[in-house]
Every structure is written in C-alpha cells, then in structure tokens.
Amino acid sequence: MTLAPDEAARTNEELFGRAQRVIPGGVNSPVRAFTSVGGTPYFVARASGARVWDVEGTEYLDLVQSYGAIIAGHAHPTVVEAVQEAALSGTSYGAPTEREVLLAEEICRRVPSCDKVRMVSSGTEATMSAIRLARGFTGRDLVVKFAGNYHGHGDALLADSGSGVAMIDALHHGGVVGRPGSAGVPATAVAETVVVPYNEVPRLDERVACVIVEPVAANMGLIAPVEGFLSGLRAECDRIGALLVFDEVITGFRVAFGGAQAHYGVSPDLSCFGKVIGGGLNVGAFGGRAEIMDLLAPLGPVYQAGTLSGNPLATAAGLATLSLLDESVYPELTKRAGAFADRLQGVMEDAGLTVHCATVGPLVGLYFGDHAPVDFADARRTDEAAYAAFFHAMLDQGVALAPGPYEIMFPGLAHTDDVLGAIVDAAGHAARSVRIG
Ligand code: PMP
C-alpha cells in the first residue's frame, strides 16, 4: 500500500471529486472550495517564490501566499533549510526548546508592547486565548468586536457581524448583543460579544473586558483605520479599564517591522499574531505586558496549553522568516505594493471597470466600487459577481488571486517589479475580458 500521490489521478477535477467524497466540501478551509467564485479549485503540487504550480502543471503567479502566512516567497531556501535541519532532530518533544526562547525574544524585541509572548498553533487559538486572558485579568465578561473583522473561528468571536449601530445601543441599554455567525454556536457563547461598526469608537462601560480589533481590517477587503480610530479605542479602553487587543495575525511583521501598532503608533495591551511568524507552518502567538501574561498557567489561574505549541519545525520556520525581515525590507515592500496598486487601478479603469485599489504597507485590496469603503456595510457593496469574473479571468491569464471578494493580496519579497509588472499586464487583459464578457 502506498500513501504517496497517485500520478494517474492528477487532474484538479479528479482530485476535487475524490476530495469531496472524504473531506467536507473537498477542502480543509471553506474559502478554498471556490464557493464564492464558482468552478473547480486548482490543487497545488508545488510552489517557489511568487509562483505555484497545480497538479496539471499549470503555473500561476500567486498573490494568495497562503493568505499572508508566506512573506518571503514560497519555499524560500533559508526557511526550507531551517525546517529540514530542525526535522532531522525530531519534530515534537513535549519539552521546551531553545528556539522557542529565541522566537519569543525576537517577537518581544520587535513589538515593545509585548514583555512576554506565548506560542500557540493558529491565529484562532491566539485570539481565543487572548480573550480568555483579558476576561481573567479584568474579571469582566463582555467582549467588543467590530463588524467585518475576522478573528478566527472561536465560538465567542463568531458573532453576527451585521447590525452595528443597534449593537452599540444594546451595549448601553443592557440588551443581549451578538448573534451566532455559525450553526453550532450557542447563543450563550456570543451573548457576551458585542458587535459594533468598524472605524467608529464605541462608548464602553465597566462590563467590557476587552475590545478586539484588526488594526487594519483585512478580512472585508482592505480597510485602513481612519484617523483617530485606534487612538480613540486606546483612550476609551483606558477610561473604562478594558484591555485593547490588536489582532495582528495579518498585520504583524507585515505592515511594518513592529506591525500595525508601530505603523500607527498605538500600543495595545495584548497582541495576537500568526501567519508571518510561522513562515508557512502552524503558528500563532499572543503577547502583552508581563502583569497580564503572568496570569497564564502555570503562573496564574488562566488555563491555556497545547501539545504542539512552540513546535520545533514551526519555530525554526518562524525564526528563519524573521531573519529575512530586517527594518529595511518594509519601506521597499510598501513602495512596490503602492506602485503596483496604482498601476492595477489604472489598467482596470482603462478597461472600463470601476475599482478601488487600497494599500496599507504591502497589503493590497481590490474593491469593485467607486470609493474607499470604511466599514463592513460599505465593504459588502463590492460587486461580488465582478470579482468572481475577474478572478477567473486572472486565472486564465496565469495569476492566482484569493477565491473570495473579501480577501486581499499579499505581495511579498518574491514579488519583484518584474513579477508585479506581469501581473498588471495580466490584469489589463483580464479586466477587458470581464468588461466584454
Ligand atoms: N485573525 C485574523 C485577522 C485573520 O486574518 C485570521 C485568519 N485569516 C485569523 C485571526 C485566524 O487565523 P487562523 O486561520 O490561523 O486560525
């Protein structure tokens, strides 16, 4: 018996068929199923730098980059060598290792608001644990989140993200707040979650344990915080004694050396990380001031644990990735992404499409509409059908975007001016075919 890939079965169609028989929807994370854009997902066989190849040998210039887990480009030799070397010494021990210390030291060095950090295995775990810690620290229960912000799939954070203003009122008038965003989440799990509109500072009261926010919203397209939003949250949390939690799972070590908090000059009490710090392996982390972090077990009463937390391969990949990201990298990445977004906007407009290409640092968003959205209600006005058509036209041109209109693009170190130029050219062709089609 062999469990190796079966050469004979290697078409996307055939693999997707087999996948659907044994994996719900054929995928291990829903957006990968192409549900919102239609069609058959490409099954990746290998990747290098800015490129991925599917099992049929089709090559794509890739802007998905594992939804931001990859910043140095696929299979970067430094990362691959670090993982290979680590694997030769064992893949998990259940005892502490030196690399965990090194990675924690490096994160705390880059992010001054973190005296201490704890590693977990995903962004979901990071936000879930940060919320538990914030509740443990404050002795309060309410969590405030923003409509359209995604913090992974922990029950308490999967609250309805649609009814903003009403939710602010609910907070003030003592009403029940969130509604589950998924079947299987009991109303009680989100009864202590208040959902409010992004880019407005909510008025809090003493029941609030923490406000959790994506400092740059990157799960409803790309929406930057308006002037005064993050600093306003900081002031409002301080006024009421609530903790401010930045979910930097996407922005951490990506928008700036010290993440979004450095970029905007606002310090949270707790930060959540993931993606970049795992270099494509399974990593999350959360960190903050020592007086808060020391409430975690084994020092304190807030329980949190993980068999694979601080895994040797993941910490090796993370350290190798951070070694490639010195301070000089960020202005360069930002400059390239800015020029790319301008040119992308230009070719789309030339083709008669109305889009708004936003950037924050090296993050790039593509909104099918004529203005920059500021919150989820705005974001949802994007033309989803136009995105789906453009997505497929881009695949036809050999460029892989994320298969969903609320995802963003992740150009990284491998996306040289040449690569980005080729993507712009492809976008020009794709945009014309969308318009004509
Ligand atoms: N927070 C943010 C801002 C995210 O974008 C994501 C995932 N895209 C998560 C948390 C959850 O991370 P994970 O998928 O690793 O659980």
Side-chain angles (χ1 to χ4, degrees):
M1 177 181 170
T2 174
L3 293 179
D6 175 1
E7 294 291 333
R10 299 183 114 217
T11 69
N12 294 317
E13 203 74 52
E14 183 164 2
L15 277 179
F16 194 41
R18 281 171 54 193
Q20 285 169 296
R21 283 195 283 281
V22 288
I23 304 171
V27 291
N28 284 313
S29 197
V31 74
R32 296 180 200 162
F34 277 27
T35 313
S36 54
V37 292
T40 301
Y42 54 90
F43 278 63
V44 175
R46 66 191 174 92
S48 174
R51 293 175 163 77
V52 298
W53 287 266
D54 72 10
V55 291
E56 298 173 10
T58 309
E59 174 182 318
Y60 299 103
L61 292 174
D62 178 43
L63 283 166
V64 183
Q65 299 288 308
S66 189
Y67 293 88
I70 304 293
I71 192 170
H74 293 294
H76 190 289
T78 304
V79 179
V80 172
E81 277 160 31
V83 173
Q84 281 173 331
E85 197 199 306
L88 290 173
S89 301
T91 52
S92 188
Y93 313 116
T97 62
E98 184 177 7
R99 281 196 207 87
E100 292 167 79
V101 183
L102 294 174
L103 187 53
E105 284 173 349
E106 188 56 23
I107 292 171
C108 294
R109 182 174 83 85
R110 289 175 190 234
V111 186
S113 71
C114 293
D115 297 332
K116 296 190 176 184
V117 63
R118 178 159 280 176
M119 307 303 298
V120 290
S121 297
S122 68
T124 296
E125 269 185 87
T127 58
M128 214 177 67
S129 308
I131 297 292
R132 184 179 305 147
L133 181 56
R135 285 171 161 162
F137 180 77
T138 57
R140 303 172 182 178
D141 290 336
L142 278 188
V143 170
V144 175
K145 81 171 279 282
F146 294 89
N149 278 190
Y150 179 66
H151 303 295
H153 62 94
D155 280 358
L157 293 170
L158 269 187
D160 172 69
S161 29
S163 51
V165 181
M167 293 303 179
I168 297 187
D169 285 342
L171 177 60
H172 286 303
H173 301 118
V176 171
V177 284
R179 271 181 292 139
S182 161
V185 177
T188 48
V190 292
E192 311 284 0
T193 306
V194 181
V195 184
V196 295
Y198 195 70
N199 266 328
E200 284 177 32
V201 178
R203 201 171 158 74
L204 308 176
D205 67 27
E206 284 83 3
R207 292 172 302 157
V208 176
C210 68
V211 173
I212 183 165
V213 64
E214 283 186 68
V216 177
N219 285 285
M220 48 174 163
L222 186 67
I223 300 183
V226 296
E227 183 75 40
F229 176 55
L230 297 176
S231 57
L233 291 180
R234 178 68 279 170
E236 185 61 8
C237 284
D238 288 346
R239 186 181 72 78
I240 223 72
L243 298 188
L244 179 59
V245 183
F246 275 7
D247 180 348
E248 296 232 37
V249 166
I250 282 185
T251 54
F253 316 101
R254 169 141 332 236
V255 299
F257 187 75
Q261 51 197 275
H263 191 71
Y264 292 104
V266 175
S267 256
D269 300 295
L270 289 173
S271 302
C272 303
F273 303 108
K275 309 221 186 222
V276 167
I277 48 156
L281 276 92
N282 314 38
V283 170
F286 62 105
R289 285 199 306 283
E291 59 163 333
I292 307 173
M293 295 302 288
D294 285 349
L295 282 188
L296 286 172
L299 294 179
V302 179
Y303 194 70
Q304 188 281 327
T307 302
L308 296 177
S309 295
N311 174 268
L313 306 197
T315 46
L319 282 166
T321 301
L322 291 183
S323 78
L324 300 168
L325 300 173
D326 63 27
E327 299 204 42
S328 69
V329 157
Y330 295 95
E332 175 60 27
L333 280 179
T334 300
K335 195 171 110 219
R336 263 194 258 154
F340 167 64
D342 287 347
R343 292 186 59 204
L344 185 59
Q345 170 107 20
V347 295
M348 303 288 275
E349 281 172 357
D350 289 348
L353 295 175
T354 308
V355 298
H356 185 79
C357 295
T359 58
V360 175
L363 299 174
V364 180
L366 174 61
Y367 175 79
F368 280 82
D370 58 8
H371 68 290
V374 296
D375 62 16
F376 194 36
D378 267 352
R380 295 187 103 166
R381 288 187 200 107
T382 192
D383 185 341
E384 294 177 0
Y387 184 86
F390 182 66
F391 167 84
H392 279 292
M394 285 295 266
L395 272 190
D396 291 344
Q397 294 289 328
V399 177
L401 303 175
Y406 301 106
E407 312 296 339
I408 63 169
M409 300 179 224
F410 291 99
L413 297 181
H415 294 77
T416 58
D417 288 332
D418 283 354
V419 169
L420 293 174
I423 294 174
V424 168
D425 291 345
H429 291 295
R432 279 195 293 281
S433 76
V434 166
R435 177 125 193 289
I436 295 159

